[in-house]
Amino acid sequence: MPKKLQLQRVSPDVSAKEFFEKYVSKRKPVIITGLLDDSSFQGRKWTDLDYLGAKAGDVEVMVEPIHPTVNQYGTDVERVSMTFRDFLNSLRGDEGPHPYLTTQYSEEDPDAETVFPPPTNALRDEFPIVPRIMGNLFLQQVNLWLGKSRDGSSSGLHHDFHDNIYCLLKGRKRFVLFPPSEVKHLYPYGTLAALHPNGLISYEDIPVRSDGLSKRAACKARVRALERKIDALKAKSKGKGKAKTDSKEMKALMKAHDEALDELAELALDEQEGEDEVDDFDALMGGLDDYEDAGAGPSRGADEDGDDSDDEEAEEWTGIGHSDREDDENGGDGDGDDDGGNDSAEDSDEEEDDEIALGEVKAGPTEPSSFSRIPTAHLHRYLGISTTAVLPATFRPSDFPGLKKTTDPYVVELSETEMLYLPASWWHEVTSTSADEKVGGDGIHMAFNYWFYPPDALDNFDAPYRDTLVWDYLRQKGDNHDESQSHESAEKTGIGKRARESVGGEGSKKFRH
């Protein structure tokens, strides 16, 4: 039986710079012995389900029933749509198993995510956009996790693609952790493409750079960043003669712009040959609207030129990894599109989906690349820890000999009002157990988490991403949105409604804690 390692613990009042230097830059998980100390964080209120229902009860969410045979979450069980209020009411009953609220995403497009998915879109005035302790990292998404399980329910072994700060508001969570380097022994569903120096795992079907962006998304951002610099230099040179415009700086910018366009064209050609490659830049750009809605940008800097000429009509951020290829092939924005038989084929698919009973397991290889094939019950038994998971009927220990070759895991018991920092691609299996109803409350377990793009300039607290041209551009856009909306609070309510309508309240199976 392997040894179970213990994590270091740190006070929540640690400075952001010290936290970055000791843990983020070292890619070391750590327990934080308290919740966020930001004055805007009101997460403690959410454990009162009456308050939570009054605040966010009208939004639509997708919840996951427990798998009927292996007795765990994180499976292909069909999700159930309901209002958040109805879900909260379902948790008040004694009879289980209860459904589980996980990260929300679209069943039709698993990569379609917003920065603030429901119900967090209705709670945005009660948490900081970037917590103080996380310094200069760039927000990817926030989530609320909520369920009820007296005996403990598992997420399944998997890893995320972003740095995670996990705030436990109610109940208990047991984490089993392995470092990213153990990917060779943990049998992911995906085929490994790269293990970046900062620990981020990339798969062949979802290739990403070390900062979590796809090459195409980063290249598009580089093109637009260079265009902004060129326009600013042209404006500065007006009336000062052609020689100024033809300066060395302008020539260098034009050359870099041409090279970026050439690279973008090559990537577009490559994508035509690979069906799984995704185009996520427009999704990323649209997501900055979500920062604008929340009244805070991802950083404190300002865009000097104030030029938003490259901002076309805003669209909701559908998340890194979103593909708009189907839209492009079917006529882009839909103007003049003539799909012929495509609509009937889609209608047929929808009818077929409707025939799948709720709570039923879908057929086919639908597990994400970042999930392990190792059954949770087998992992727990190997480690000698308690489990409620059940081995599948087809299980054979000989299928997973690599498990015995892993390094000793960390086994973390996280208690109420504690947090866990987990760098991107650290493998984790999470068993969630409800609070004791006899002590008071509804016997639930609840957590709130932030995901941040993984830093790859690990020696630079102020600028934690190596591709400064791309990330400065993204931060500046976020700041511009913040500045343009900071005094328009009435408009935020309308945008929040649009966000809910855009998301559609559909629930995710990609990450579960």
Side-chain angles (χ1 to χ4, degrees), residues 272-341:
Q272 290 178 6
E273 299 174 3
E275 294 182 358
D276 291 329
E277 182 65 18
V278 295
D279 180 8
D280 50 17
F281 177 77
D282 292 335
L284 174 60
M285 291 297 94
L288 293 173
D289 287 342
D290 275 343
Y291 287 112
E292 150 192 322
D293 300 347
S299 68
R300 282 79 182 167
D303 186 0
E304 295 297 334
D305 63 34
D307 179 16
D308 280 334
S309 60
D310 59 346
D311 294 343
E312 298 177 0
E313 183 176 351
E315 58 182 280
E316 282 299 313
W317 187 8
T318 47
I320 289 302
H322 167 64
S323 172
D324 56 12
R325 180 179 294 108
E326 273 187 28
D327 293 339
D328 292 342
E329 290 174 351
N330 293 336
D333 60 6
D335 290 341
D337 102 320
D338 186 5
D339 292 335

Side-chain angles (χ1 to χ4, degrees), residues 425-478:
S425 291
W426 267 75
W427 292 88
H428 50 289
E429 179 276 327
V430 189
T431 297
S432 304
T433 306
S434 296
D436 189 348
E437 291 181 83
K438 295 179 181 178
V439 179
D442 297 288
I444 59 170
H445 54 82
M446 178 188 295
F448 178 73
N449 90 296
Y450 293 82
W451 275 318
F452 297 92
Y453 286 97
D456 57 356
L458 300 178
D459 59 348
N460 194 334
F461 169 74
D462 294 317
Y465 302 99
R466 287 187 301 168
D467 195 340
T468 54
L469 178 65
V470 166
W471 284 102
D472 285 350
Y473 169 71
L474 298 179
R475 288 185 188 277
Q476 287 169 359
K477 284 187 69 66

Side-chain angles (χ1 to χ4, degrees), residues 156-162 178 180 183 188 192 199-203 206 368-372 422-429 451 510-511 513:
L157 182 63
H158 65 287
H159 71 80
D160 304 335
F161 293 91
H162 303 90
F178 294 95
V183 61
L192 181 67
L200 182 63
I201 296 173
S202 175
Y203 294 99
I206 41 174
S369 294
S370 57
F371 270 67
S372 171
L422 199 61
S425 291
W426 267 75
W427 292 88
H428 50 289
E429 179 276 327
W451 275 318
K510 291 203 299 182
F511 311 110
H513 304 105

Side-chain angles (χ1 to χ4, degrees), residues 95 387 414:
E95 187 176 350
T387 188
L414 202 66

Side-chain angles (χ1 to χ4, degrees), residues 313-496:
E313 183 176 351
E315 58 182 280
E316 282 299 313
W317 187 8
T318 47
I320 289 302
H322 167 64
S323 172
D324 56 12
R325 180 179 294 108
E326 273 187 28
D327 293 339
D328 292 342
E329 290 174 351
N330 293 336
D333 60 6
D335 290 341
D337 102 320
D338 186 5
D339 292 335
N342 288 346
D343 287 340
S344 61
E346 290 175 2
D347 292 342
S348 176
D349 289 342
E350 290 175 3
E351 290 173 4
E352 184 177 338
D353 287 343
D354 289 341
E355 293 175 1
I356 301 175
L358 294 179
E360 196 172 301
V361 181
K362 291 183 178 179
T366 57
E367 287 296 343
S369 294
S370 57
F371 270 67
S372 171
R373 299 175 184 271
I374 299 173
T376 300
H378 179 50
L379 174 67
H380 287 172
R381 292 181 184 185
Y382 169 69
L383 298 177
I385 58 181
S386 61
T387 188
T388 57
V390 179
L391 288 172
T394 57
F395 171 74
R396 294 183 304 176
S398 59
D399 290 339
F400 307 102
L403 181 59
K404 295 182 178 180
K405 300 178 183 179
T406 58
T407 58
D408 291 334
Y410 290 92
V411 178
V412 178
E413 298 285 351
L414 202 66
S415 300
E416 283 183 21
T417 70
E418 290 184 330
M419 299 189 293
L420 174 67
Y421 166 67
L422 199 61
S425 291
W426 267 75
W427 292 88
H428 50 289
E429 179 276 327
V430 189
T431 297
S432 304
T433 306
S434 296
D436 189 348
E437 291 181 83
K438 295 179 181 178
V439 179
D442 297 288
I444 59 170
H445 54 82
M446 178 188 295
F448 178 73
N449 90 296
Y450 293 82
W451 275 318
F452 297 92
Y453 286 97
D456 57 356
L458 300 178
D459 59 348
N460 194 334
F461 169 74
D462 294 317
Y465 302 99
R466 287 187 301 168
D467 195 340
T468 54
L469 178 65
V470 166
W471 284 102
D472 285 350
Y473 169 71
L474 298 179
R475 288 185 188 277
Q476 287 169 359
K477 284 187 69 66
D479 291 335
N480 280 347
H481 285 307
D482 175 32
E483 291 170 5
S484 66
Q485 294 292 320
S486 60
H487 301 295
E488 301 179 17
S489 59
E491 194 171 327
K492 293 176 188 174
T493 303
I495 294 175

Side-chain angles (χ1 to χ4, degrees), residues 14 64 70 75 123 128 166 175 193 198 202 215 247 250 306 342 396 404 423 428 495 501:
V14 61
E64 180 186 356
V70 298
T75 67
L123 301 169
Y166 193 84
F175 289 76
N198 64 347
S202 175
K215 289 183 179 179
S247 66
M250 178 62 77
N342 288 346
R396 294 183 304 176
K404 295 182 178 180
H428 50 289
I495 294 175
E501 291 170 348

